[in-house]
Structures are given as structure tokens and as C-alpha cells.
Amino acid sequence: MKGRWTWRRVFRLLALGLAVAGLAGWLAGGAHVGWTQTSVPVRTLDEVTGLEAIHYERRFVPGLDFVAVLWAAAGLVAGLSFLFRKDALVAPSLPTNKNRKEEP
Amino acid sequence: MNVNAKVGRVCWLVLATAWAAGAAPLEFDFRDPKGVNNVVFHLDAPLESISGSATGISGKVTFDPDDPAATRGRLVVAAESLHVPNPMMKQHLHGPQWMDVKRFPEIVFEAVTLEDVKQGGNEVTAKVRGRMTIRDVTREMVVPVRLTYLKDKLGARTNGQMQGDLLVIRSRFTIRRSDFGINPNAPRDKVADEIELTLSLAGAAPRS
């Protein structure tokens, strides 16, 4: 089976990619332990009144729900891989290592 | 009547007018074009406490620097301006179960009396007895406030375009969402019943 692109392998690699992307995206976004945010508060001081103004800046901050969604999707894709036979090739017509050995 | 008497009368009239003008209560408008005014709300929740703010503030407060106990006013927060950083949470917050901003577009606090008034310099601390209305439910409340009267500071805030005074209101208090029918069925182990509110407001009284 080594070197052959089966549907099982493709789906499992896709699942792994989703799981890694979820974790990497979360870490790159600041590892926010909370809900995903699409805006973040920016506080500025009004020097005359001494009050703190709050403005929201548009920024995507992935939270734990972002990781959970991507990992759930990864689990689903990994689960789907079991619907395919072990030896179901992505492109059966392409020559494989096994086929090459059989050639004269 | 001799000239000295006339001058004396005019002087008294000018002084009396100035005193009357100085003693008159000032009306402060809390619609803030600079967008500094805000009300921060905070609720505890298991994963992450829910924090957000509202900036759509308007209303007027009458304040007399010589008689702060006579302070009265009405502050309004546009419910549509309530914001939380998570878009789905914001949708729920504005929705029918929570604030129902379409049906109840305003949150209103009306100051009726001031109690326990303490004045030191330009600062006044007091307890305001008033009426809070959320989702058409009105409750009488007593909330602590700190008022700071900034005489002639409006010019500094408007780059000299307007002259006048500022009144800063700071307050922090807690309300119960169940008291105002804010999603009373939401389990309290998921979202706390107490909502902590922090008001940071500045009103302007321009002089013409």
C-alpha cells in the first residue's frame, strides 16, 4: 500500500491538516482562552475628563470554539475516511509501484 | 440722584446678575460627539466572562455647583449600541430573549434625588435614588456616583470651538437581569444573574 494515494489516506491527511491548522491558527492568533472575537476593545484616555474611551477595532482573534470547530471537522473527515475501502485508489488508472513491477 | 449713587446701583445690578448667572443650575448634555462616553457591562460565565460596552449615550443632567444635592437628570443608552466582541454573542444579546433592541430601543436611568452628598473641591460623591428602565421594566434603585465638575474645560475638549463647563459622572453598580426580564430562563450556572455596570460619562454645558 506504500506510496499509493487511497481515499482513506487523502481523507486522513485532510483531517490532520484541519487539526493542525486549528491549533496553529489559535496559537498564532494569541492563544485566546475564550470565545472567538471579531473585534477587540482599544482603550484610550481622554486627557481632559480623565475618562477611558473604548473603541472596537476589527480584528479576528480565534478562541477555543475556533479550535473546537476545526477539530470537530477533522474528526468528521477522519470518520468519513472509513467509508472507503482500504484499497480504493484516488486515481486507479494511474500507474502505481505495484503496477510498475508487473511490467516486463 | 447723584452720579455716585447711579454708578453704585449699576455696579450692584451687574454683581447681582453675575451672581444669579453663576448660581443658576447648569444643564449638561451627555450626547458626546467624541464618542468617549461609555457604559461597560460585565457578566460572569464559565468559559469567559462576558464583557462589552455601549456608547450610544444621550440625556441631560441639571447640576448646580453650589447645590449638588439638587442634581437631577435623565440618561439614555441606545440598546442597539450594546457591543460584545463575539458576533454570535452580540446577536443573542440584541435578540428577543436578551435585550430585544428592536422592541426596547432605550435603557433609561432617571435621577430623582441625591442622598448622602459629600463635596470636596470640584468632586461630589453621592447616592442617587432613581428609576432604571430596561425592557420596559422600571425599578427604583440607589446607585453610588462620583461627579466631577470641570469649570471652563469644554474649550480644552473642543479645541476652543466651544466654551463652557464639563460634568464627569462615574458610577459602578450591579443590577440583576432577572429583575428586568433579561432572559430570566438562562441558567445561572451558565450566565450570572448579576450584571456589573460601570458608567464613564462626560456632559457639556456650553456657554453662549
Side-chain angles (χ1 to χ4, degrees):
Chain A
M1 298 296 281
K2 201 177 175 184
R4 291 199 310 169
W5 284 97
T6 61
W7 280 113
R8 268 196 181 190
R9 178 187 270 193
V10 168
F11 270 68
R12 285 173 190 181
L13 281 174
L14 189 63
L16 183 68
L18 281 170
V20 170
L23 189 65
W26 179 68
L27 288 171
H32 174 62
V33 186
W35 299 102
T36 295
Q37 300 177 346
T38 54
S39 60
V40 289
V42 178
R43 292 167 187 268
T44 50
L45 185 73
D46 181 65
E47 288 182 3
V48 179
T49 59
L51 295 177
E52 232 181 25
I54 302 171
H55 299 285
Y56 284 88
E57 201 176 87
R58 288 184 74 84
R59 198 192 307 162
F60 184 76
V61 181
L64 290 176
D65 52 335
F66 173 83
V67 182
V69 166
L70 281 187
W71 282 15
L76 187 73
V77 171
L80 284 176
S81 73
F82 288 100
L83 296 177
F84 297 92
R85 287 162 51 99
K86 268 186 181 178
D87 54 355
L89 295 172
V90 176
S93 57
L94 287 176
T96 61
N97 292 340
K98 194 181 169 189
N99 290 344
R100 273 194 209 110
K101 278 179 193 169
E102 285 167 1
E103 282 172 7
Chain B
M1 193 185 290
N2 64 25
V3 175
N4 281 348
K6 276 187 181 172
V7 170
R9 278 190 175 185
V10 169
C11 285
W12 272 115
L13 194 65
V14 169
L15 282 172
T17 310
W19 178 81
L26 301 162
E27 191 177 61
F28 290 86
D29 189 348
F30 281 78
R31 196 178 292 277
D32 178 20
K34 290 192 85 173
V36 172
N37 288 354
N38 63 76
V39 176
V40 172
F41 56 91
H42 186 92
L43 292 92
D44 271 335
L47 176 60
E48 182 187 25
S49 56
I50 302 164
S51 284
S53 64
T55 49
I57 292 151
S58 59
K60 286 180 178 169
V61 170
T62 307
F63 174 80
D64 184 347
D66 295 324
D67 184 14
T71 304
R72 303 284 180 274
R74 187 174 186 267
L75 293 169
V76 180
V77 178
E80 189 77 44
S81 74
L82 292 166
H83 183 87
V84 284
N86 181 278
M88 195 176 286
M89 212 179 270
K90 184 176 175 179
Q91 203 179 334
H92 288 163
L93 180 67
H94 285 204
Q97 284 190 313
W98 287 81
M99 295 306 292
D100 202 353
V101 301
K102 294 273 187 286
R103 277 182 68 202
F104 310 108
E106 290 185 341
I107 299 161
V108 180
F109 184 79
E110 201 164 350
V112 180
T113 56
L114 257 69
E115 299 165 359
D116 201 9
V117 180
K118 291 184 184 107
Q119 190 166 14
N122 65 345
E123 288 217 339
V124 176
T125 57
K127 286 182 179 142
V128 180
R129 187 174 290 277
R131 286 186 290 266
M132 172 80 90
T133 305
I134 304 173
R135 288 181 58 109
D136 251 3
V137 178
T138 302
R139 300 263 176 202
E140 193 164 300
M141 301 183 68
V142 178
V143 301
V145 287
R146 181 155 62 99
L147 308 172
T148 310
Y149 174 56
L150 300 172
K151 191 170 170 55
D152 297 326
K153 287 287 183 186
L154 181 58
R157 209 167 181 236
T158 57
N159 295 326
Q161 289 176 357
M162 292 166 89
Q163 295 302 319
D165 305 335
L166 293 170
L167 181 69
V168 178
I169 300 179
R170 293 179 178 89
S171 180
R172 180 176 288 188
F173 56 96
T174 302
I175 60 168
R176 290 179 180 276
R177 62 183 169 83
S178 54
D179 284 349
F180 294 95
I182 305 168
N183 200 1
N185 297 327
R188 290 178 192 180
D189 55 335
K190 295 266 167 60
V191 190
D193 190 32
E194 290 83 18
I195 306 172
E196 190 187 287
L197 300 173
T198 308
L199 279 66
S200 306
L201 314 170
R207 261 194 301 273
S208 49

